[in-house]
Amino acid sequence: MIPTDDITGLVLAGGRGSRMGGVDKGLQNHLGLPLALHALMRLAPQVGHAMINANRNLGAYESFGVPVWPDALPDYPGPLAGFLAGLEHCETPWLVTVPCDTPAFPLDLVEQLAAAADAAGAEIAMAATRGSDGATQVQPVFCLLSTGLLESLVRFTQSGQRKIDRWTAQHRCVEVPFDDEAAFFNANTPDDLQQLQRPHG
């Protein structure tokens, strides 16, 4: 089993927020607190250490009390840039990532990902949900990564590639099914954010 202290959690808040009008999504108010702080508070008890990936308003993120690291790559190239920043600064054998816009992800997310990676001898474990139609939807930004993958990711991003699935396909990867699809609901637009504010029955 992978000990909790061997896992660093990273909240990904480095996006451009284009579908939310270009605002800094992680700092949008949700039930009185910034979205990214909800994600951090939910993640922190599941990991040994925590940090944030952000590219704007760094002082606001630093006020959450954990280290904040900008993308290692310019021009908001997407989640892999956040993965890369996290791996470069991670001092534990494992890094787990969650996006800042999904404040209700499972409380056993990291435990399940770690157990699956351990059992499968995998370098990467990714969450997946089952839709009402029975189809599996991979949630690639909910991802547990071995920090030994840093060199591979540096090479991949330096070659100009940005697609998560194309990179993870090069490695031993296990998908971990979660039944509660609603737990992975994310706020991409102002309407989504409004929907999050409503209590779920």
Side-chain angles (χ1 to χ4, degrees):
M1 196 58 199
I2 300 169
T4 304
D5 281 350
D6 281 356
I7 304 172
T8 296
L10 178 70
V11 176
L12 298 167
R16 204 189 290 268
S18 45
R19 279 182 285 179
M20 212 172 262
V23 299
D24 193 337
K25 200 192 302 188
L27 296 179
Q28 297 312 294
N29 178 39
H30 172 56
L31 305 177
L33 294 172
L35 265 177
L37 185 55
H38 281 279
L40 178 64
M41 287 162 53
R42 204 160 178 89
L43 182 62
Q46 303 188 41
V47 295
H49 313 268
M51 50 193 185
I52 295 172
N53 161 236
N55 291 309
R56 298 180 276 176
N57 304 307
L58 300 187
Y61 286 108
E62 283 165 356
S63 74
F64 297 173
V66 299
V68 179
W69 302 107
D71 285 352
L73 302 166
D75 303 324
Y76 298 95
L80 279 184
F83 284 21
L84 186 56
L87 288 172
E88 285 181 337
H89 296 284
C90 186
E91 295 178 4
T92 56
W94 294 89
L95 176 76
V96 67
T97 63
V98 301
C100 66
D101 60 2
T102 310
F105 60 83
L107 292 167
D108 64 348
L109 174 80
V110 178
E111 182 186 346
Q112 296 289 346
L113 293 178
D118 192 43
E123 299 165 287
I124 300 171
M126 269 184 199
T129 51
R130 273 192 212 94
S132 48
D133 57 358
T136 298
Q137 172 77 41
V138 178
Q139 307 283 345
V141 284
F142 292 91
C143 189
L144 178 72
L145 303 157
S146 163
T147 44
L149 297 173
L150 174 60
E151 277 182 42
S152 161
L153 186 53
V154 167
R155 279 195 306 274
F156 184 82
T157 51
Q158 281 181 346
S159 72
Q161 301 195 70
R162 299 289 179 259
K163 291 255 186 274
I164 294 182
D165 55 356
R166 196 166 289 169
W167 176 64
T168 58
Q170 301 175 9
H171 297 285
R172 294 193 307 280
C173 187
V174 61
E175 290 176 13
V176 186
F178 287 84
D179 291 330
D180 184 4
E181 197 181 13
F184 292 89
F185 179 82
N186 66 316
N188 271 320
T189 66
D191 285 349
D192 291 343
L193 194 55
Q194 287 293 296
Q195 204 171 322
L196 271 179
Q197 312 283 10
R198 297 186 201 115
H200 293 286

